């Protein structure tokens, strides 16, 4: 018996779409809902009208950016004070959405859920989102890393994964006579993305341990942008570490290797246990 999963991503604050997903998960008898990143609204506004485009009218995101100073090329000048204010307003908008809309909706749904932050989600709000949960237990989820049990909410009805690498197990809600799930599935999760033209930089890293494989990429790529402040209080300016040391110690490849090593270590412990 397989685990029935409803997967979606890129909500960008669209709570109407989230409500439809959760109703469908309950109707279909799913065992778990997995939301794979870009959960919160992009800017100061929520995303419920984000479907509007150049054909049907100006998008919310486009209109929200109109007031920002522009370069001679017509692109936004992200080095201005107005741009920093815009990012800080967006940070607070996400904080409100996570705590007053996303988590309460997921808590209310009968199906347990696992959420991954995406490159549009501020990393500093991960503890905030976790803190907003009711702490209701669910059979469907289990964290495989004992040292993360409290932070990640083992058994929580709503779980948020570690962005720099995590593993979680989803299970069927149906169990046998000994309370053992009929099916399980282990899933690896990683929120990290390559350096891009995106201005939120919390989750951006060099691609591999070899620096030239990152710096050789062309297109709209910039290491500079905005990060969550160390205290989680808002957005600040900064830059991704694009260096030989940054590539070796903090690349996507490095974090994937570390995650796989942790998982292999857990499997070895299971085999060697008496």
């Amino acid at each position: 018996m397989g685990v029935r999963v409803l997967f979606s991503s890129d909500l960008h604050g669209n709570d109407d779409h989230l409500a439809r997903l959760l109703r469908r998960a309950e109707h279909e008898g799913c065992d778990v809902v997995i939301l794979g990143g870009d959960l919160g609204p992009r800017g100061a506004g929520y995303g419920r009208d984000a479907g509007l485009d150049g054909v049907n009218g100006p998008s919310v995101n486009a209109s929200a950016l109109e007031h920002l100073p522009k370069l001679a090329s017509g692109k936004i000048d992200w080095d201005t004070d107005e741009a920093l204010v815009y990012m800080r307003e967006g940070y607070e908008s996400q904080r409100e959405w996570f705590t007053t809309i996303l988590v309460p909706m997921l808590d209310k749904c009968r199906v347990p859920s696992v959420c991954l932050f995406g490159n549009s989600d501020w990393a500093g709000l991960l503890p905030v989102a976790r803190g907003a949960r009711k702490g209701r237990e669910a059979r469907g989820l289990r964290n495989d890393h004992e040292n993360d049990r409290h932070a990640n909410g083992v058994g929580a009805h709503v779980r948020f994964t570690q962005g720099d690498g995590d593993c979680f197990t989803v299970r069927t809600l149906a169990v046998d006579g000994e309370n053992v799930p009929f099916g399980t599935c282990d899933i690896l999760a990683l929120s990290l993305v390559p350096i891009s033209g995106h201005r939120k930089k919390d989750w951006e890293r060099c691609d591999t341990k070899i620096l030239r494989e990152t710096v050789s990429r062309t297109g709209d790529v910039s290491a500079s942008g905005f990060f969550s402040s160390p205290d989680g209080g808002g957005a600040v300016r900064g830059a991704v570490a694009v260096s030989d040391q940054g590539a070796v110690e903090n690349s996507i490849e490095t974090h994937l290797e570390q995650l796989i090593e942790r998982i292999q270590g857990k499997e070895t412990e299971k085999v060697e246990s008496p």
Side-chain angles (χ1 to χ4, degrees), residues 103-114:
V103 173
M105 288 180 68
L106 296 178
D107 255 325
K108 186 177 180 180
C109 181
R110 294 193 301 272
V111 181
S113 55
V114 181

Side-chain angles (χ1 to χ4, degrees), residues 61-186:
N61 291 322
S63 61
L65 297 172
E66 286 178 355
H67 71 287
L68 296 180
K70 307 297 191 296
L71 299 169
S73 63
K75 294 184 177 181
I76 295 171
D77 185 354
W78 291 106
D79 292 329
T80 61
D81 291 340
E82 291 89 340
L84 179 58
V85 169
Y86 170 78
M87 284 295 184
R88 287 175 172 171
E89 289 175 346
Y91 191 100
E92 293 307 316
S93 177
Q94 279 198 7
R95 183 197 302 273
E96 179 183 1
W97 193 79
F98 285 136
T99 57
T100 66
I101 295 180
L102 176 66
V103 173
M105 288 180 68
L106 296 178
D107 255 325
K108 186 177 180 180
C109 181
R110 294 193 301 272
V111 181
S113 55
V114 181
C115 300
L116 290 70
F117 268 34
N119 66 326
S120 189
D121 300 315
W122 294 102
L125 295 176
L126 185 54
V128 174
R130 287 172 173 162
R133 299 169 306 186
K134 290 182 178 179
R136 185 158 46 128
E137 291 188 354
R139 288 182 305 218
L141 309 178
R142 176 174 60 85
N143 179 7
D144 284 335
H145 304 301
E146 295 298 321
N147 59 337
D148 290 333
R149 290 183 65 86
H150 179 70
N152 288 344
V154 174
H157 190 70
V158 181
R159 177 163 181 249
F160 291 88
T161 65
Q162 288 289 100
D164 59 356
D166 205 347
C167 177
F168 58 92
T169 301
V170 293
R171 305 175 175 185
T172 58
L173 295 179
V175 296
D176 62 20
E178 297 182 354
N179 205 36
V180 176
F182 288 112
T184 64
C185 180
D186 295 332

Side-chain angles (χ1 to χ4, degrees), residues 191-250:
S191 295
L192 305 182
V193 297
I195 298 170
S196 69
H198 198 283
R199 295 298 164 170
K200 296 176 184 175
K201 300 296 183 180
D202 278 338
W203 302 111
E204 292 193 3
R205 302 289 190 275
C206 291
D207 299 58
T208 70
K209 296 179 180 179
I210 302 173
L211 182 61
R212 68 173 181 272
E213 294 182 355
T214 293
V215 299
S216 64
R217 288 197 291 112
T218 59
D220 185 13
V221 178
S222 174
S224 299
F226 303 87
F227 293 78
S228 298
S229 62
D231 63 0
V236 296
R237 296 189 187 278
V240 182
V242 183
S243 63
D244 287 316
Q245 182 177 359
V248 171
E249 296 179 355
N250 205 27

